[in-house]
Amino acid sequence: MVIFEPFNNPLEILPLPLKLFAKLGVTQYSVDRVRLLIFNSYLLLTFFIPKFCLGYDTIPQFFRGVAEGMCGVNTCITLFCLSFKMDQMEMLLRDLKLWTDIVSITDEYKQILITLNTGIHKYTKYYFIFTNCILVAMMASSTAGVLYIYTSQTPGQTVSFPLIMEHRLYTLNAHHDLLHWFLYHMLLIPAILIMVIIYTAKAGMFFGSICFCSTLFSILALKIDRLRFLITTEQYTAELKEIIVLHQLAIRCAKLLQKILMDVMLAQFTGCVLIWCFFFYSIMISGITVEGVTVAAILLSFSMETFIFCLLGNELTIKVGLNFNKMMVDCSANSNILLPKQGEQISAAVYATDWYEQPIKIQKLIIPIIQQAQQRIGITAARFYYIDVKRYGKNLKTAYSFYLLLRDIF
């Protein structure tokens, strides 16, 4: 299976997520889009149309079904958005590869990148195992519930079988007929597996890209810190020129990543309030039952994904603004430069290198870096707001407030 192929090239950029997306048909080649159309059509017929168009029997089923449908939309919208942004994704991968080729000449920086790539590769595999464990737990709890209900029912008794996902599947009466329950799951499990692969590829691609961009600025911090150990003017000038090129390339990578992610993040954080609210209500209604375990498993997976996005987005912003703290403190201790605010700390780091004593040609190259330092770099939701830990807390509080309202109404 592709997920367990050996990691042959330790400097290759995100090989596993790219392979997973290629298997799904998300590439630049139109011939591969046939697979994407087949997968999307199957998901539409077996998951999304039944979820949102065929109705529910009870209010708790409605809240659970809509929340599951919104989770599915949140997962599958990645395919839709990324298929239209493959050109930008290719540019990002090319720039990351160029950055890697430049700095990997030094063994220490090369080892940092190898450790990063190995970690991303392992994380993607473990995340795939984690999501499959959740799926197995959902299937096991649903099957155990059905077996218990079926063996303990009395003749003529009307029973309701628990489903792995809550929605009608056209004419199948899966809640009350055991054969229909079996057919329902045989049709639905392939759709869930497709979404698990999308979910894993999304996490590996986007989490890995954010971590990679953060690491670029960490390496830049090391290179700037070591400028003070250079003795000759020629060495200092050559290293500073390379730092300027790498900084501009890193900023370009971060901005490309921001453009790629903004639509996905808008969908993620617009829907998370309703998803949390509806799932909280479903768990409150279901309690410790088969349905409750299934809903809790989906909620855990979705909440973890959203929190990791916030954590990594927050880290990227901090790395861009805070990765030169040591140089800034040295500069402030030995000159009249005041301690800057967060967005100005890169400028202070550049000042700490005594750039104003360099030739005019070098000074002109550094000016755009100082200007760029005044702008915040991070992951945004369609430019409305930045994704960070504070945003996660705000959305969670809002979801809980809506849940309390729903509990009072219903």
Side-chain angles (χ1 to χ4, degrees), residues 42-51 54-56 163 165-175 180-189 191:
Y42 190 82
L43 289 174
L44 188 67
L45 291 174
T46 60
F47 189 81
F48 291 112
I49 290 179
K51 279 283 184 190
L54 299 185
Y56 298 91
L163 304 179
M165 289 285 177
E166 186 59 65
H167 63 260
R168 297 175 181 172
L169 194 57
Y170 304 107
T171 60
L172 293 179
N173 186 19
H175 269 301
H180 287 193
W181 181 92
F182 179 79
L183 294 175
Y184 172 92
H185 284 80
M186 289 300 99
L187 291 172
L188 191 61
I189 286 176

Side-chain angles (χ1 to χ4, degrees), residues 28-41:
Q28 286 185 312
Y29 307 106
S30 56
V31 66
D32 294 329
R33 299 296 175 90
V34 177
R35 291 198 303 274
L36 181 62
L37 179 62
I38 293 174
F39 289 135
N40 284 336
S41 299

